[in-house]
Amino acid sequence: MTLGVLKKKTWFSWPKRLGRDSLDGFYPLGARLVQELREWKGLLGEGVGVIFRKEVSDHFASKRLLILFGLVAITCLSSVYVAAMTIRQSAAEAAETGFVFLLLFSTSGGSLPSFLSFFGFLGPLVGLTLGFDSINGERIRGTLSRVLAQPIHRDAVINGKFLAGLYTISLMLLALVLSVSGIGIRLTGIPPTGSETSRLLCFFVLSVFYVAFWLSVSILFSVLFKQAATSALAAMAVWIFFTVFAGLLAGLIADAIVPLGSDPLPLEVLRHQRIEIAISRLSPSTLYYEATSVLLTPHLRTLGPVFVEQLEGAIPGALPLRQALLLIWPDATGLIAATLICFAVSYVIFMKQEIRVL
Amino acid sequence: MKDVVIKTRDLVKRYGAHVAVDHLNLQVFEGEIYGLLGPNGAGKTTTILMLLGLTEPTSGSVSVAGMNPARDPIGVKRIVGYLPDRVGFYEDMTGRENLLYTAALNGVTGQQAARRVEALLERVGLSDAADRKAGTYSRGMLQRLGLADVLVKGPKVVILDEPTLGIDPEGVRQILDFIVSLSQKEGMTVLLASHLLHQVQEICDRVAIFVKGRIIAEGPVEELSARIFENEPLTLKVRPIPMTDSVVDAISKIPGVSSTKKSGEYLFVTCNDDVRLEISKTVFRLGASLDHLSLEGRDLDEIYRRYFHTEVLST
């Protein structure tokens, strides 16, 4: 044992890994946040900061997350590339809208869906990957009882893990949005306007919560099920149900409640539509699609069915951000509330659960 | 009189209709090694979890160093080190990193943590493997890392759940020696839960036989054996060489011997007093040698079997 060895291993050194130190250097915000969390020690309870740092470092070193992030990044970036190509071809039309930069995110070009659809579909997978074995994995490995025997509150474990997941999601998404923007500027030559930037910022916050919803779903399942494989499959089932089947199911139920004949009355069609939308809004995916569509497509002025009479006299134009936020307020709060409720449920269950593997 | 470190009064834990711990009254004194011995499912781990405040008692009270674990779990966990049975470590972290993590959870960081961890790794003999991933450790190494992990916080009380389970005999020896050194050199109080009675009986100052959530006997091992075998004849296992009829005959004539029985290479002697000295004298007088002479069934296994047996009969 030499002094050199001691010096190197000052606090928490993660030698061959992308750890805390490298993260801090890589992204100054990380250092700030870690520092703030350290000061929040009293507020969040002892140990949250320590667990948070370990979990973040685990996430960034985990192969499965890197693979998944690679998948999301490749699909999203390629869709943006195609979108940029489409925009270039019809630059004149695009310029008329005044929001060329946002088109990068919402345009589907040729055979590839838009960035928005790709992320709406694959984003949840990132959340599920981050959380599906967070609690039961520790239980099975026998580390949970050892960690809980240290002088920390029990909720430090689940809080630290959730915050670490949230932080990882934010960082990844930020990287994604920034690289998309970079590629977009390079390909189209058009920088984003102030209004577009603030819309992108809102989009970023919503997307973080969208992925965080799936993170809290997977944490809930990892609390409920003993086996990591079970919780992973259960979370995947919920994901597929919400992203694929919920929409179909909403249509079926609406058909059953208001059957539409061959020549339906307008009011019948309206009722049918309203029921279908109401049911599909139970799915967080729908909430996310609606909210982000409004944010990234400023000309979208309403969600749901509109009569032609209602549009009479309306001047086509973009919706100001304030109005757009008002329009998506229910969706956004619904999405955030779903995330928090899901986490709260897993928190309560975890706090009441027996430590032992029974 | 030494201070009482761990004390429970009428401690009860129910899981639905199942009573895991039934009116337990436990007293562990400072600096002693206390063995909580009983079969699997007796409620040992449940008791330990209640001592640490990791599970709430249904009724009754617990006090650890004057603190109530249900009210002040953090305070208790600050001074109590706990080694769970089947202890696990983060497999993709090295042994050293695992210990540093535990140190950080205890608020020990920086140079102080590094020094403490280094010393502990040295002490449990894992210095060479310290920078290998814990996933590559053998069962015995994990258990030793577990002991180091328990000591990272500098505890006053150490609770060990099945510390010798699944370890080879040499490893068991090392671990037991280590536990004894904790008690003798550092004055720590050690609570040991195990179902491997013969392994741990020799190091325990006092033991409690714990069956179905209740303590059915408590005290030093010798005292327990004296109490249970009070009115029972002793059985001696003797192997004189050669075992001729004249030797057997002479042994059976020793005062106090009530009967003898030959079984294979051994002679089992039932007697009212301990006549081991007389037997050896007799055997040597007849020109034979003595290959084996022992008092049968007075170890903890037998005590435990007896107590367990009476318990089963009475319920």
Side-chain angles (χ1 to χ4, degrees), chain B residues 76-97:
Chain B
V76 170
K77 289 192 277 187
R78 215 165 263 145
I79 60 156
V80 180
Y82 168 50
L83 179 69
D85 60 341
R86 288 187 300 255
V87 62
F89 287 92
Y90 297 105
E91 289 176 4
D92 47 357
M93 280 160 63
T94 66
R96 188 194 305 276
E97 284 168 348

Side-chain angles (χ1 to χ4, degrees), chain A residues 31-43:
Chain A
R32 283 256 303 281
L33 200 79
V34 164
Q35 186 58 42
E36 258 157 46
L37 270 167
R38 207 176 284 174
E39 281 154 20
W40 283 358
K41 211 167 150 187
L43 190 71

Side-chain angles (χ1 to χ4, degrees), chain A residues 72-227:
Chain A
V72 173
I74 288 170
T75 49
C76 290
L77 293 183
S78 52
S79 83
V80 167
Y81 181 78
V82 173
M85 287 301 139
T86 316
I87 293 167
R88 266 158 68 133
Q89 278 164 13
S90 51
E93 283 169 51
E96 266 174 40
T97 63
F99 291 95
V100 182
F101 197 73
L102 290 183
L103 285 176
L104 280 175
F105 294 86
S106 54
T107 307
S108 54
S111 49
L112 273 182
S114 66
F115 173 89
L116 199 56
S117 342
F118 259 136
F119 189 76
F121 185 69
L122 291 177
L125 263 185
V126 175
L128 297 184
T129 312
L130 284 170
F132 76 88
D133 67 343
S134 54
I135 302 295
N136 53 15
E138 297 238 2
R139 220 180 259 278
I140 286 168
R141 275 178 294 175
T143 46
L144 186 65
S145 49
R146 201 168 53 79
V147 167
L148 288 177
Q150 310 310 326
I152 54 167
H153 287 291
R154 190 189 280 206
D155 60 354
V157 173
I158 196 164
N159 287 344
K161 279 174 182 278
F162 184 70
L163 288 176
L166 206 60
Y167 177 73
T168 310
I169 292 168
S170 317
L171 218 59
M172 285 170 68
L173 206 67
L174 197 67
L176 206 59
V177 170
L178 287 181
S179 33
V180 164
S181 306
I183 291 172
I185 294 172
R186 184 85 181 81
L187 287 179
T188 61
I190 306 164
T193 62
S195 149
E196 281 173 322
T197 312
S198 38
R199 276 167 190 271
L200 273 181
L201 203 68
C202 295
F203 165 74
F204 169 72
V205 172
L206 262 183
S207 303
V208 168
F209 272 102
Y210 177 56
V211 181
F213 169 77
W214 293 99
L215 169 71
S216 58
V217 166
S218 64
I219 289 182
L220 176 64
F221 284 142
S222 85
V223 171
L224 286 178
F225 299 114
K226 287 189 195 90
Q227 297 293 329

Side-chain angles (χ1 to χ4, degrees), chain A residues 143 146 150, chain B residues 82-84 86-103 116-153 160 163 167 171 174-175 178:
Chain A
T143 46
R146 201 168 53 79
Q150 310 310 326
Chain B
Y82 168 50
L83 179 69
R86 288 187 300 255
V87 62
F89 287 92
Y90 297 105
E91 289 176 4
D92 47 357
M93 280 160 63
T94 66
R96 188 194 305 276
E97 284 168 348
N98 268 294
L99 293 189
L100 282 172
Y101 182 52
T102 306
R116 199 182 277 190
V117 165
E118 187 68 47
L120 281 170
L121 284 167
E122 179 99 47
R123 201 170 154 193
V124 296
L126 285 175
S127 291
D128 295 338
D131 294 312
R132 259 168 55 196
K133 298 225 157 134
T136 66
Y137 282 20
S138 70
R139 186 79 194 79
M141 288 164 85
L142 282 176
Q143 202 68 23
R144 278 185 283 153
L145 188 62
L147 283 172
D149 184 72
V150 165
L151 298 177
V152 163
K153 65 174 79 163
L160 309 168
I167 311 282
Q174 287 174 2
I175 286 173
F178 191 79

Side-chain angles (χ1 to χ4, degrees), chain A residues 256-271:
Chain A
I257 298 173
V258 187
L260 295 179
S262 53
D263 188 17
L265 292 171
L267 273 177
E268 269 181 356
V269 178
L270 185 67
R271 235 186 109 208

